[in-house]
Amino acid sequence: MTTNRRGWLGAAGASLAGLWLTACDKLANDPKVNGVLQKAEGWTMRAQRALTDRKALAREFSPADISPDFRANGTTRPDSYEYETLLAGNFADYRLAIGGLVERPLELSMAELRALPSRTQITRHDCVEGWSSIGKWKGARLGPLLDRAGLKPNARYIVFHCADSLELTLDGTGQYYESIDLIDAYHPQTILAYEMNDATLPVRHGAPIRLRVERQLGYKHAKYVMRIEAVERLDAVDANGQTVLGRGKGGYWPDRGYEWYAGI
Ligand SMILES: Nc1nc2c(c(=O)[nH]1)N[C@H]1C(S)=C(S)[C@@H](COP(=O)(O)O)O[C@H]1N2
Ligand SMILES: [Mo]
């Protein structure tokens, strides 16, 4: 029985913190079992800390800290007829589509997006190229929006499809896209920003909406978001064995060697 229990203890992993409190003294005093318990407890604490850390807020700054000249990077104006048409109409015809693994697919106008629960934050944007700028962002909180669409139980990632292609490819893998997990999606500072520094989001910074996912590096902050898709996996392939999302690494830059998880 002891052996059995030890085997179970060794495999139990995450639930051990609870067990630690109820384990009988005799078992816990067995030096071998004790060692296993301590190791597992250490692991649980580290996992717990990592999770708590991921839920922590990114630092927020004061209005005086706002960069007078926030840099623009990557695409600064999507080169497509569809985007130009939307822009010419001041995005009156823009609809943000939310689909994939959701109960209620949505199509939201800018007026509807602006009516959603919002958040305003002054944060620092860090680009891997080695520059940072501080800006003030206002946008719809992604969490409540996803709740409105209703994520299906197998949804694990949120994908952002953008209007621009950074590289011209025949298979469409040059289209900018990004993805985040549900911890980042439900983080309180994760917003679909439609305002920057108290003005309508400028084209060079991603009009009409861009993602702000403040615990991540710059390239995760998708600009020109046209469609949001909830998916189970990022490396899904179709019947021909072709990756469905870009090259299967979860983002334009991750497809080209950058880390998918770019937490800061
Ligand atoms: N659609 C789209 N989103 C994008 C990019 C891009 O080229 N296209 N560049 C990324 C990179 S590398 C950075 S640093 C930021 C730059 O945002 P900014 O132009 O507002 O500074 O957007 C990110 N999101
Ligand atoms: Mo970047």
Side-chain angles (χ1 to χ4, degrees):
M1 186 220 167
T2 317
T3 331
N4 226 346
R5 206 147 179 197
R6 261 185 230 170
W8 182 80
L9 282 175
S15 60
L16 269 179
L19 188 93
W20 175 242
L21 300 170
T22 55
C24 77
D25 285 348
K26 213 175 167 193
L27 186 65
N29 285 337
D30 175 331
K32 276 193 217 139
V33 174
N34 202 7
V36 172
L37 278 171
Q38 278 177 355
K39 257 188 218 150
E41 190 189 40
W43 182 86
T44 312
M45 276 169 61
R46 280 194 301 279
Q48 185 60 40
R49 269 197 212 114
L51 201 65
T52 313
D53 183 56
R54 290 209 49 202
K55 288 180 176 172
L57 295 184
R59 182 176 168 196
E60 296 195 12
F61 296 79
S62 75
D65 299 318
I66 294 173
S67 305
D69 195 11
F70 197 109
R71 284 198 32 187
N73 201 32
T75 301
T76 49
R77 184 165 181 149
D79 182 17
S80 82
Y81 175 77
E82 288 82 358
Y83 184 83
E84 283 298 331
T85 307
L86 288 172
L87 176 59
N90 207 14
F91 299 107
D93 293 331
Y94 171 86
R95 296 291 180 274
L96 173 67
I98 300 167
L101 298 174
V102 297
E103 305 288 352
R104 299 169 291 276
L106 303 172
E107 282 202 5
L108 300 171
S109 67
M110 285 310 298
E112 287 169 316
L113 281 168
R114 285 172 178 276
L116 291 170
S118 71
R119 194 176 196 280
T120 303
Q121 58 210 27
I122 301 174
T123 53
R124 194 185 63 210
H125 178 100
D126 298 314
C127 173
V128 276
E129 289 168 13
W131 56 270
S132 299
S133 294
I134 293 175
K136 180 177 179 181
W137 307 95
K138 181 183 180 186
R141 285 196 50 204
L142 184 61
L145 181 54
L146 294 176
D147 284 342
R148 209 168 126 176
L151 290 181
K152 291 191 173 168
N154 53 338
R156 290 185 59 209
Y157 302 98
I158 306 300
V159 182
F160 303 87
H161 297 276
C162 306
D164 58 314
S165 290
L166 262 186
E167 187 188 324
L168 282 179
T169 58
L170 288 176
D171 61 2
T173 57
Q175 188 94 9
Y176 205 94
Y177 78 107
E178 255 302 339
S179 59
I180 57 177
D181 65 15
L182 296 185
I183 297 180
D184 272 325
Y186 279 92
H187 189 283
Q189 288 169 320
T190 299
I191 59 173
L192 297 173
Y194 44 71
E195 272 184 30
M196 179 189 189
N197 297 340
D198 296 313
T200 303
L201 183 67
V203 169
R204 67 182 184 286
H205 293 295
I209 57 163
R210 72 96 50 84
L211 177 69
R212 293 299 311 168
V213 50
E214 304 293 354
R215 297 292 310 278
Q216 299 274 340
L217 285 172
Y219 60 88
K220 303 294 289 185
H221 299 238
K223 306 197 279 188
Y224 319 109
V225 178
M226 299 287 128
R227 185 163 63 90
I228 292 178
E229 187 185 8
V231 300
E232 185 167 7
R233 25 189 330 149
L234 301 171
D235 59 357
V237 291
D238 63 19
N240 299 319
Q242 298 293 311
T243 49
V244 178
L245 294 166
R247 297 175 184 164
K249 295 281 174 28
Y252 178 91
W253 285 116
D255 281 344
R256 287 156 182 80
Y258 285 29
E259 289 293 326
W260 173 78
Y261 184 74
I264 46 177

